[in-house]
Amino acid sequence: MQTLQRYEVATPVAKAIPHTSRRAAPRLLTVQMIVRVATSEAESARLALHRMLGSALGVHTIDIDRRHDLACLHVELDRARVGEAMALLIRTVSRAEFGTIRRLERM
């Protein structure tokens, strides 16, 4: 008579599925930064911001006052990038002046 050997078979253990929240991803805090530069330097300031921020650069407008030779850039960006943007503009544009930085409410 042949004897059978008994083997214990490990039972598969269910892997824990990581908990994923159904809440929306946290929104970035968007601010509007106002920068005043000479009219002749407005284009270089805008291009420098585009190179640095790329698609993260939000809505931006430029108001030009030819009488005083000033351009006022209104730039929307993530609050965490404001310091980086200011440092870039100080290096790129002579006599850049920074105005109000205000939080933008987004729905």
Side-chain angles (χ1 to χ4, degrees), residues 26-96:
R27 295 183 306 173
L28 298 175
L29 181 57
T30 304
V31 296
Q32 182 184 55
M33 177 174 72
I34 298 175
V35 184
R36 285 178 295 278
V37 297
T39 304
S40 60
E41 295 181 321
E43 183 67 13
S44 60
R46 187 186 67 78
L47 288 173
L49 287 170
H50 269 288
R51 279 191 300 271
M52 181 189 87
L53 297 170
S55 63
L57 180 63
V59 174
H60 60 282
T61 58
I62 301 175
D63 297 326
I64 297 179
D65 179 356
R66 296 206 187 278
R67 180 187 289 171
H68 296 102
D69 189 36
L70 283 175
C72 189
L73 288 78
H74 302 263
V75 181
E76 292 182 15
L77 68 160
D78 177 28
R79 183 178 71 175
R81 308 280 313 261
V82 169
E84 184 182 356
M86 290 175 87
L88 172 74
L89 289 170
I90 289 170
R91 287 190 310 268
T92 306
V93 181
S94 64
R95 297 183 293 169

